[in-house]
Every structure is written in structure tokens, then in C-alpha cells.
Amino acid sequence: MDRRNFLKATAGVAALTGTAGVSAPALSQGATARTLRFVPQANLANFDPIWGTQYVVRNAAALVWDTLYGFDDKLEAKRQMVESEEVSSDGKVWTFRLRDGLMWHDGTKVTAADCVASLNRWAVRDGMGQMIRALQEELVAVDDRTFRWRLKAPYPKMLLALGKNNTPMAFMMPERIARTDPFQQVTEFVGSGPMRFVRNEWVPGARAVFTRFEQYVPRNEPPSWLAGGKRMGVDRIEWIIMPDPATASAALMNNEIDWWETPLTDLIPSLRRNRNVRVDIADPLGNIGSFRFNHLHAPFNDVRARRAVAMVLNQEDYMRAVVGDDRALWQTLPSFFTPGTPLYTEAGGDILKGARNVEAARALLRESGYSGQPITVLVGQDQAPLKAMGEVTNALLRSIGMNVDFVATDWGTVGQRRASKSPPGQGGWHIFHTWHAGADCINPAAYLALRAHGDGAWFGWPKDDAVEAARDKWFAAPDLAAEKAAVAEMNAAAMSHMTYAPTGFYKTYQAWRSNVTGIVGGPLPFFWGVSKS
């Protein structure tokens, strides 16, 4: 069923509760004001925030594992687990001291050795971590609360790397867990954050549960995104998986859940009519839709095939499918960077502007050597934006003569399969859709999806020296003018290479019961400070 017909069939049902057509959600019984019932954007199919980059895993991990630093709402890195840091006069030696009283959920003390092991694992998988690792001379524990990072050259953006909110975040784990191969998932979920993960209540596809960690000592500062004091206003948080938007809408209006992370845009009017429900934009910095190519295998290992797709990609089609006709929620985007931010540029973005030329795209596709082989498109059906984008892509590819192998699956499976470098016919893939939070795309520093350094790059593994050279120029830029010039060069290079194809910029809503307070906007749901009466 396509999105429009689905909405016609379910919008009316969503406004009703307890009627035929809305199956009863699998909710915990006896919920009280100390239990927050939350419907996340997707199923928590795995729970290793270093191994992968799915936002849903990052969001859950932020409850369980703490970080050395955390971004506040000004995108500045503030101390979190760290009490103090010192930098040598030449900028090559960083010494960090941990806060006193940090405890793991198993009752043992957090030590510097734990942090050293955690940073070593994180640095293998993260783009900024890889840069630091290339400069590293040593990373050692000095004593139980102090560790030292000695570099061959200065790395001025160290705190940004350790505090950033984009995936993979530098979460700290006990040394025994952090020694897990970074390309293998951890199997033990012990953190030092404000909530424990209740392993024996985790049912992937149905539920995940977190309970308050009584020994957690929050910082004294007011909370701001991932910074400040993470004081919990509830004792228990239940993540309830509801892939059907109509069911989630009915559950929220019927007081069966408390907070819905990603309500479907077309259901917002009925939610707003309910006096017990509150609705607001989830994140003012929005999202950038992503059409991700696999650069390793034909035909998209040839830039002509990637550009052929970009020549017919109509961002209006994607955005209307994802969020509807309300132009206040979306805009076309001939850029990889977040609109309205200081470094935004449209340099090189002409390929995404103007009329779509199907015949020219077909000709370029033939030049690339494409000869009708199946194109495997992975589409997470339990994520409304991805399902919508996948349907538009299906029609787009067919319009230029491509044979589409449309793999309709769940987002957890996409997250597993996109890590495979195998040929598409042997368990690999050609295309998948995702989105990138606008907060992750304001500059090149932590923009994992725009890296183009081959085997070390994000899924799709693009390689382009021009993109990487422009990125290096940004890191070396002495002032804002030089930063802007470097970002314009990077945007143009990435458009030429077609690292990935932006499908547009859009904002989404979140919705919650009126008896829940403390919910703020941002790139992930922040549970500290949230309470329920």
C-alpha cells in the first residue's frame, strides 16, 4: 500500500481509540507516574553504539553510557565525566582527570583504564577518532582518575570529537567490554549513565526497558542537550515498538503511551485536536534525507551511474512523500550542509536544480556500462520517512530503465545488511535510504556521511581525494572566511563525485501527553529533566 492510500485508510482510525481496526498495543501493565512509556523512531534491534551508526541505538545508549564531554544546545562541548583537562603549550599532550564518584552499573568504579580502552575502540570506527588515532603517540592511564593522550601534532578539535552528538559518539564502557573488537557487537550492556538497561526485559521488535541508576551522580549545571546535570524525573522508561503510525497515534490519545518520537505528519491535525496531547517540532535543525550509493560495485562504482540518478532525482517528490505539502516543513537542498547555518553553501549543486532530464540520464547510464542487472534497494518499512523515500526511488530508477530489486524489510535489518561489502547478489546492496540530523551537517568535522576515504568511509565506502583535500583545508582554516571557502570546495567536490544524493531538507514533529513535562527539541530525545504527573 502506498503512503497516500495508507493515510486515507488510517487517518480516521487514528482519531479513534478502542475501536475496531486499532490493535491493542503491547504495553506494560500498572504504569504509574514513575514510568515513562516512549515510542521510539525504530526497533532497537542491536545495542552497540560504537559498532554501528543508527540513531535509535545512539538515543538508547545515551541513557546507559555516559561520555567524557557532551554537546549543549549551542553545539559546544562541555565537561560531563571529566572534571578537568590540561593541554600542553604545543597542543600535543592532553591530560584528562575524571570526576570523583563515577560508578559502573555493576557497582565497580569507573577508572581511567576503562576510558583508555573505550577511546581506543571508538577511534577505530569514528571519522574524527581516526584522525586522532593517526596522530597518536600514546594513550595511557596515569592513575585511576587520570589519562593522557600524547599526539605527534596538535589536534585543536579534540573536545569537539569527544563531545559531539553524531554517531558513533565516544561512549565510555568498562575495560572488559571496551576490549571487544570494534567490528564485533558487544554482548554486555553495563554503563555509568543515569539509567540501567534491563537485559532480561529486552524483546527486540517489541520492548526495551531502562531503570534508574540510583548511584549516578549528575553534574551541578542545568541540563542542556548532552551537557549538564542528567537528573531523571522517572524511575523506569519503557521503549515500546509501534511501527504502525495509526496504532501509535491511537495509543497516545488513549493515554496508553506518553511520548511518541516521530509521529506521521499527516496525523498531526488529529493529535492537535486532542486537548491532552502536545505537539511540536522535534528538532529546529531538521534533517537531510539521504540516497546512499554503494561505490564498491557496479553500476554505482562508476560516477556516471551515480550522476545519472542525480539528474532525475526530484527532491520535491521525496519531500512531499516524506512530510506532505506543508512547505514550512521542507525545502529543496542543492547542498550537503544544513540550511541557515554559517557554512551553508550551494556550490556545485546545479545537478539537483532545474528540470529533470530523463533521456540524458538514460544515455549517461548506458555510458556507465549498466546492462540491466538487478539494483538492490534496501528500504526500512518500519520508518515512515524511509518507506516514503524508497517508494519514490523505486519509480525513479524504473523511469531510467533500471531493474529494481526492492527489498522491503525493517530498519534493524537494513542496519545489519548495509555493513556488508559483499556483491549485491550475495547479501550486499546497491542503495539504501537514511537521513542525517541537521546538527550533524553544520560543518565537516563530524560529518561521517560526507567522508570519502575509501575503506574507512561510511557505508557505501566512497573514495575521492578532492573531497578529502577540501575537508583538510577546513580543519586548517584560520578564520571563518577560509572555512566557508573550504566548505564550498568540499560541497562542489562531493556533488561532482556524488558521494550521496541529498533528497531534501525537512523537519519532523514529536508528540506527548500534556501531563509530561520537560521535553525539549534537539537531535535526539533527551530524557533527563522529563517528568510525569
Side-chain angles (χ1 to χ4, degrees), residues 57-119:
V57 178
R58 183 268 318 265
N59 298 352
L63 285 166
V64 175
W65 289 288
D66 213 343
T67 54
L68 299 171
Y69 296 82
F71 267 13
D72 64 10
D73 60 7
K74 296 179 178 60
L75 296 174
E76 296 175 352
K78 303 294 185 181
R79 295 169 185 159
Q80 188 53 235
M81 295 174 74
V82 165
E83 176 182 275
S84 64
E85 70 284 326
E86 294 181 4
V87 190
S88 63
S89 58
D90 62 4
K92 296 180 182 180
V93 181
W94 290 79
T95 304
F96 301 90
R97 184 161 179 79
L98 298 173
R99 287 198 288 141
D100 192 19
L102 298 177
M103 300 289 292
W104 297 115
H105 295 163
D106 61 8
T108 60
K109 289 185 177 181
V110 175
T111 69
D114 297 318
C115 297
V116 166
S118 296
L119 290 168

Side-chain angles (χ1 to χ4, degrees), residues 261-322:
E261 184 181 1
T262 53
L264 199 64
T265 304
D266 297 68
L267 298 178
I268 293 300
S270 63
L271 292 173
R272 280 182 166 151
R273 287 193 293 270
N274 189 304
R275 61 187 179 87
N276 294 314
V277 173
R278 301 289 179 264
V279 175
D280 201 357
I281 294 294
D283 181 5
L285 288 173
N287 307 278
I288 295 176
S290 174
F291 185 122
R292 192 75 181 178
F293 301 99
N294 190 331
H295 293 239
L296 297 184
H297 302 290
F300 298 121
N301 59 350
D302 189 312
V303 67
R304 291 172 294 186
R306 301 193 298 273
R307 290 182 66 82
V309 170
M311 288 170 65
V312 292
L313 189 151
N314 188 328
Q315 291 185 331
E316 288 199 15
D317 289 345
Y318 281 94
M319 292 298 92
R320 292 184 191 281
V322 171

Side-chain angles (χ1 to χ4, degrees), residues 267-414:
L267 298 178
I268 293 300
S270 63
L271 292 173
R272 280 182 166 151
R273 287 193 293 270
N274 189 304
R275 61 187 179 87
N276 294 314
V277 173
R278 301 289 179 264
V279 175
D280 201 357
I281 294 294
D283 181 5
L285 288 173
N287 307 278
I288 295 176
S290 174
F291 185 122
R292 192 75 181 178
F293 301 99
N294 190 331
H295 293 239
L296 297 184
H297 302 290
F300 298 121
N301 59 350
D302 189 312
V303 67
R304 291 172 294 186
R306 301 193 298 273
R307 290 182 66 82
V309 170
M311 288 170 65
V312 292
L313 189 151
N314 188 328
Q315 291 185 331
E316 288 199 15
D317 289 345
Y318 281 94
M319 292 298 92
R320 292 184 191 281
V322 171
V323 289
D325 296 330
D326 186 352
R327 289 304 303 265
L329 293 177
W330 63 269
Q331 67 184 73
T332 56
L333 186 72
S335 177
F336 293 101
F337 293 91
T338 305
T341 57
L343 298 179
Y344 179 73
T345 175
E346 297 183 1
D350 288 350
I351 193 170
L352 295 176
K353 299 178 181 178
R356 307 291 85 193
N357 192 330
V358 174
E359 290 307 317
R362 286 178 173 174
L364 191 58
L365 190 60
R366 287 193 296 270
E367 288 179 24
S368 76
Y370 177 70
S371 57
Q373 64 266 43
I375 300 299
T376 301
V377 183
L378 307 181
V379 182
Q381 299 292 290
D382 54 343
Q383 294 270 34
L386 305 187
K387 182 177 185 294
M389 282 192 269
E391 291 169 353
V392 176
T393 292
N394 188 20
L396 179 154
L397 297 179
R398 294 180 188 278
S399 75
I400 57 174
M402 285 190 146
N403 177 15
V404 180
D405 172 24
F406 191 90
V407 180
T409 185
D410 63 279
W411 181 233
T413 300
V414 174

Side-chain angles (χ1 to χ4, degrees), residues 117-277:
S118 296
L119 290 168
N120 278 327
R121 185 170 190 258
W122 163 79
V124 173
R125 300 305 304 264
D126 181 75
M128 296 187 77
Q130 291 165 0
M131 295 179 72
I132 300 171
R133 196 164 174 254
L135 299 173
Q136 180 175 309
E137 283 191 347
E138 68 170 3
L139 174 58
V140 296
V142 176
D143 57 39
D144 279 355
R145 288 177 56 196
T146 309
F147 64 94
R148 181 175 61 242
W149 217 333
R150 187 185 302 275
L151 308 176
K152 301 171 188 174
Y155 190 75
K157 292 182 169 60
M158 174 68 79
L159 301 188
L160 187 154
L162 299 181
K164 66 184 178 63
N165 56 263
N166 80 301
T167 58
M169 284 172 54
F171 288 113
M172 297 297 104
M173 300 181 177
E175 183 178 12
R176 67 180 184 278
I177 301 175
R179 288 189 177 277
T180 303
D181 183 327
F183 293 92
Q184 300 292 325
Q185 293 184 40
V186 300
T187 57
E188 190 180 357
F189 311 113
V190 175
S192 64
M195 302 293 282
R196 299 173 183 261
F197 184 63
V198 185
R199 175 71 177 271
N200 63 0
E201 292 194 51
W202 182 27
V203 183
R207 184 178 66 171
V209 175
F210 310 84
T211 57
R212 181 200 292 268
F213 179 41
E214 297 294 347
Q215 291 174 279
Y216 181 76
V217 180
R219 296 188 66 90
N220 290 325
E221 303 91 347
S224 178
W225 282 19
L226 293 161
K230 298 176 181 176
R231 293 176 175 81
M232 302 307 301
V234 295
D235 295 329
R236 178 180 170 94
I237 300 173
E238 297 178 357
W239 281 33
I240 302 158
I241 311 305
M242 288 187 180
D244 174 28
T247 301
S249 178
L252 182 66
M253 290 192 285
N254 201 36
N255 196 24
E256 294 170 334
I257 60 172
D258 302 304
W259 184 3
W260 184 11
E261 184 181 1
T262 53
L264 199 64
T265 304
D266 297 68
L267 298 178
I268 293 300
S270 63
L271 292 173
R272 280 182 166 151
R273 287 193 293 270
N274 189 304
R275 61 187 179 87
N276 294 314
V277 173

Side-chain angles (χ1 to χ4, degrees), residues 426-438:
Q426 300 172 32
W429 55 278
H430 286 105
I431 294 165
F432 74 87
H433 284 292
T434 186
W435 69 86
H436 308 299

